Amino acid sequence: MIMMGAALLFSACDRSKKTPKENPQATVALPAFDNDSAFAFVKAQTDFGPRVLGTVAHENCREWLLDKLREYCDTVYNQSFTVKTYDDKIWPCANLIGSFAPEKAERIVLAAHWDSRPFADHDPNPANRETPIDGANDGASGVGVLLEIARQLHENQPNVGIDIVFFDAEDYGPRENESVPGDWWGLGAQYWAKNPHVQGYAANYGILLDMVGSPNAQFMQEQFSLRDAQDVVRKVWSTAYELGHGQYFQNKPGGVITDDHYYVNKYGTFKMIDIIHYDAASGTGFDPVWHTLNDNIQHIDKNTLGVVGTTLLQVLKNE
Ligand code: AHN
Ligand code: ZN
């Protein structure tokens, strides 16, 4: 019996052997993700005020984000364009892209949206529903995690090239009580998928972060992500599990969410998954503070930022 167990164990180990990497020496030890730094990056964004299209806060935050990307990345692109929103208004917008090792062919995209919603249409108090939101979780949390990742990659890059993409104009969709046919969410992502920052741009895959800062967040496996890039979902969720973050990254299907990744997958040349907080009990499927004035810095838990950031850095390290 003992011999048989040993034989089974041996063959199990054998099967789990990874295919050799092209350049084994290039395996690098990535430094730890700094939760406090990520939190400070989230707060810096909310300190500008709501980053709503057409506002000074939006403009100022864009300059600040470009400065941070220039500080950490090898090449930075400021992709300016205009969008027409569902209310027939036209706005100046910008997708902001920071690239590491732009010469490498093997690339991974990490993305989040940097704009915030112009109206708190889900606020419990009807008097607040026309007020713009800080979007600490809805927008700033993903950007904050990615800025901290950029800061770490500046010191220590993985084997693959990385592009950090901050999408504009994600969150100017119709109010809850309005029904306007058309694709009014993810306008920056739609633009970027159709007009990449570099001609002929290609990536292996992408990971979108949205609402990654709630206390005890639950990241179920979003269903467009499963449909379009199940292998990437598996890779990220199993990495999180191995790091001991299985309480956050749950091995269960989540919502069906028309987020930026949906448009990248629809119009682009590679597939992107969405790491997004799912709360089946909240009624909206999102966090209870979603699209309310309570989506502010008080609601952000740096431990959640750290769980997501550490998981992403490990995914990159494994490539
Ligand atoms: C819709 O509600 C259609 N999509 C959610 C995408 C979103 C909004 N993410 C953040 N805010
Ligand atoms: Zn939103």
Side-chain angles (χ1 to χ4, degrees):
M1 281 315 280
I2 288 161
M3 283 303 293
M4 198 171 138
L8 275 173
L9 193 65
F10 182 74
S11 75
C13 285
D14 229 31
R15 262 185 283 125
S16 71
K17 256 189 201 154
K18 293 201 175 118
T19 49
K21 296 253 162 72
E22 271 170 48
N23 180 0
Q25 290 103 307
T27 305
V28 288
L30 289 172
F33 184 92
D34 185 330
N35 301 2
D36 291 311
S37 172
F39 183 87
F41 286 140
V42 178
K43 182 164 186 301
Q45 294 168 78
T46 58
D47 283 348
F48 286 104
R51 282 86 57 222
V52 169
L53 304 190
T55 64
V56 172
H58 184 257
E59 238 174 79
N60 290 346
C61 187
R62 159 175 152 162
E63 288 311 315
W64 179 78
L65 289 169
L66 283 169
D67 280 349
K68 298 315 285 181
L69 289 175
R70 289 188 191 115
E71 189 178 339
Y72 303 134
C73 304
D74 297 328
T75 311
V76 175
Y77 306 84
N78 176 11
Q79 183 181 58
S80 297
F81 56 101
T82 55
V83 291
K84 187 163 111 172
T85 44
Y86 77 94
D87 51 6
D88 248 3
K89 293 179 181 160
I90 293 178
W91 309 99
C93 290
N95 294 324
L96 313 174
I97 299 112
S99 297
F100 291 92
E103 73 285 356
K104 286 187 177 164
E106 304 294 321
R107 313 200 61 75
I108 295 170
V109 179
L110 306 175
H113 76 89
W114 72 271
D115 64 309
S116 70
R117 184 151 179 80
F119 10 79
D121 51 330
H122 276 270
D123 201 276
N125 180 355
N128 292 337
R129 290 185 191 154
E130 290 301 308
T131 307
I133 68 170
D134 280 353
N137 198 34
D138 190 355
S141 65
V143 170
V145 167
L146 295 185
L147 281 178
E148 173 57 12
I149 283 179
R151 196 176 75 90
Q152 298 292 345
L153 294 181
H154 184 62
E155 307 300 324
N156 207 340
Q157 295 195 27
N159 296 323
V160 288
I162 307 290
D163 300 293
I164 291 179
V165 182
F166 296 148
F167 292 125
D168 204 352
E170 189 279 333
D171 226 349
Y172 202 119
R175 293 175 186 79
E176 178 61 20
N177 59 1
E178 296 172 300
S179 152
V180 186
D183 286 316
W184 301 116
W185 303 90
L187 298 177
Q190 294 189 49
Y191 183 87
W192 182 75
K194 293 172 183 171
N195 310 276
H197 60 287
V198 170
Q199 221 192 347
Y201 177 77
N204 299 14
Y205 63 85
I207 301 174
L208 176 68
L209 305 183
D210 197 1
M211 305 189 241
V212 292
S214 297
N216 304 311
Q218 301 210 329
F219 306 115
M220 311 301 192
Q221 301 175 344
E222 189 279 326
Q223 299 205 30
F224 288 125
S225 308
L226 284 171
R227 182 193 72 180
D228 296 333
Q230 196 186 40
D231 54 330
V232 181
V233 172
R234 286 235 176 88
K235 185 188 319 224
V236 171
W237 262 254
S238 64
T239 302
Y241 181 81
E242 282 160 22
L243 291 172
H245 301 322
Q247 290 300 320
Y248 288 83
F249 283 81
Q250 299 209 4
N251 210 352
K252 295 174 191 159
V256 182
I257 300 165
T258 315
D259 209 343
D260 288 328
H261 71 310
Y262 172 84
Y263 295 107
V264 170
N265 294 350
K266 182 168 177 179
Y267 299 120
T269 56
F270 67 93
K271 299 305 177 193
M272 181 177 276
I273 68 161
D274 193 8
I275 299 177
I276 183 166
H277 178 79
Y278 181 73
D279 183 347
S282 75
T284 62
F286 299 118
D287 195 278
V289 304
W290 183 67
H291 293 182
T292 76
L293 296 191
N294 294 322
D295 183 359
N296 57 35
I297 195 70
Q298 261 102 55
H299 173 75
I300 299 296
D301 184 346
K302 59 185 73 171
N303 294 309
T304 306
L305 303 175
V307 163
V308 174
T310 307
T311 300
L312 286 191
L313 279 178
Q314 187 64 41
V315 167
L316 302 183
K317 187 178 172 180
N318 292 346
E319 293 292 345

